[in-house]
Amino acid sequence: MLVLFTDTDTDLTPEEAIYYGYKMISMPYIVKGKEIKPYVDFKTFDSHSFYNSLREGLLPTTCALNSEEYKKYFEEEFKKGNDILYVHFSKAMTCTFDSMNIALEELKTMYPERKFYTIDTKAITIASLNIVKEVGDMYKQGKTIEEILSWAETEVDHFAQYFYADNLKFFKRSGRVSNIAGVMGDLIGIKPIIHMSSEGKMVNVAKVKGRIKALQAIISYMEELGDDIENHRIIIGHTDALELANKLEEMIIDKFGNNLKIEYAVVNPTAGSHCGPDGVGVSFHAKHR
């Protein structure tokens, strides 16, 4: 039997994980020296309280899992005789996958007959979520692992993600966005437009002044790159900015019509620790990233 895994950095909720059949790996963040694992240390993500604490000055950090933690996740399924497909956030963004590989090397000696497959979404949050759900759909339809991996080989790079950060201090501190220095100056109201590159990295591609212009810039990228978006999910993500997310949805419908599959996601706290509150973005099917 093939068992699906994903991680909390993809924005999949526990309820959605049950629907698709995913096992969830919790990616931790640290608040005041305490490590917190989403959906392990709490059952429901209180996104408003979390992002409000960031508005009030809290600056969480994140950390990688160690190899023993990965081993615990995977060995349980190997013991049952199951193979694993892990659909994960971008390996280019973290060293945590080095720990995973150490765990897998040990597990291979213990369970040499078991198979372990991965799909690197080369993204995080909503673009990852888009791909995770597509894979989940195929899994529920009974597609083989070969069919799923073949799909991923060509389709992963066709899920684009564009978003803006409302407050640069979070990304400045994390150091995870290329070209962010070009946006700087602590210019009031400047919003960097960020996308996930085909290398799986966050790259600043534009800067605009004001939230509405940021939303307009995101729409322009959808116009330029959108490919068959009517037949794929459009996922709007936000960091406790529902009104702006609603505004973005209105703008998308005005531009592309009512026959769309629009879904919402609240960005998980681990990724949200890096991008901060009041940000909005979209993931859609594209000609390329």
Side-chain angles (χ1 to χ4, degrees):
M1 178 180 172
L2 181 69
V3 175
L4 297 182
F5 272 80
T6 192
D7 50 69
T8 54
D9 275 351
T10 68
D11 285 344
L12 196 72
T13 66
E15 294 77 18
E16 291 171 326
I18 291 170
Y19 173 78
Y20 289 109
Y22 277 101
K23 305 285 185 178
M24 295 270 276
I25 295 175
S26 184
M27 292 296 172
Y29 60 100
I30 299 171
V31 174
K32 297 178 180 178
K34 180 182 178 182
E35 182 179 281
I36 302 172
K37 292 185 175 180
Y39 305 122
V40 173
D41 294 322
F42 56 80
K43 291 184 178 180
T44 302
F45 174 35
D46 185 348
S47 58
H48 179 66
S49 293
F50 175 78
Y51 286 112
N52 233 14
S53 69
L54 270 59
R55 293 184 185 102
E56 293 169 356
L58 183 70
L59 291 173
T61 57
T62 59
C63 60
L65 296 181
N66 62 49
S67 60
E68 284 301 310
E69 290 173 301
Y70 278 110
K71 185 178 174 183
K72 288 177 184 177
Y73 278 114
F74 299 142
E75 186 173 15
E76 181 178 351
E77 297 304 326
F78 286 162
K79 280 182 178 179
K80 296 175 183 176
N82 295 328
D83 296 330
I84 291 172
L85 169 61
Y86 179 20
V87 189
H88 58 76
F89 79 103
S90 175
K91 68 180 181 182
M93 296 182 66
T94 176
C95 65
T96 193
F97 295 106
D98 295 336
S99 297
M100 183 186 80
N101 291 333
I102 291 170
L104 287 171
E105 285 301 314
E106 184 177 348
L107 289 170
K108 283 178 183 177
T109 64
M110 300 167 64
Y111 305 94
E113 72 285 3
R114 297 276 55 85
K115 302 294 185 183
F116 185 86
Y117 308 95
T118 62
I119 293 175
D120 184 352
T121 64
K122 297 195 281 187
I124 195 168
T125 73
I126 53 176
S128 292
L129 181 60
N130 227 334
I131 294 165
V132 163
K133 288 189 172 186
E134 291 273 346
V135 171
D137 287 337
M138 288 186 282
Y139 181 77
K140 287 177 70 70
Q141 293 162 8
K143 300 291 186 182
T144 66
I145 182 62
E146 291 78 16
E147 289 173 311
I148 294 172
L149 292 176
S150 177
W151 174 89
E153 189 174 344
T154 57
E155 282 295 307
V156 161
D157 284 331
H158 288 285
F159 286 90
Q161 175 178 347
Y162 285 80
F163 63 100
Y164 77 85
D166 196 67
N167 189 323
L168 293 178
K169 72 177 181 180
F170 295 95
F171 274 133
K172 285 168 68 176
R173 187 174 55 90
S174 75
R176 278 179 163 80
V177 183
S178 301
N179 300 335
I180 197 72
V183 190
M184 294 310 187
D186 290 313
L187 297 175
I188 296 174
I190 291 295
K191 313 298 179 190
I193 308 299
I194 297 164
H195 91 125
M196 294 301 308
S197 72
S198 57
E199 289 76 38
K201 297 180 180 180
M202 289 189 287
V203 179
N204 169 230
V205 292
K207 57 182 178 181
V208 297
K209 190 171 180 66
R211 292 172 173 174
I212 296 301
K213 287 187 177 180
L215 297 180
Q216 291 170 342
I218 289 170
I219 294 293
S220 72
Y221 283 111
M222 290 187 72
E223 282 189 277
E224 177 185 351
L225 297 174
D227 175 58
D228 195 27
I229 61 174
E230 299 86 357
N231 293 313
H232 293 82
R233 290 179 183 87
I234 296 172
I235 301 180
I236 296 173
H238 65 94
T239 53
D240 194 37
L242 184 58
E243 286 188 20
L244 288 167
N246 289 338
K247 179 62 177 176
L248 179 58
E249 179 182 16
E250 290 176 12
M251 295 167 71
I252 290 171
I253 291 172
D254 285 345
K255 184 63 65 175
F256 300 100
N258 288 301
N259 190 28
L260 302 170
K261 304 172 184 176
I262 297 177
E263 299 182 9
Y264 279 68
V266 178
V267 173
N268 68 84
T270 311
S273 296
H274 294 290
C275 57
D278 303 310
V280 177
V282 67
S283 171
F284 57 96
H285 194 261
K287 299 168 189 173
H288 58 79
R289 292 196 175 187

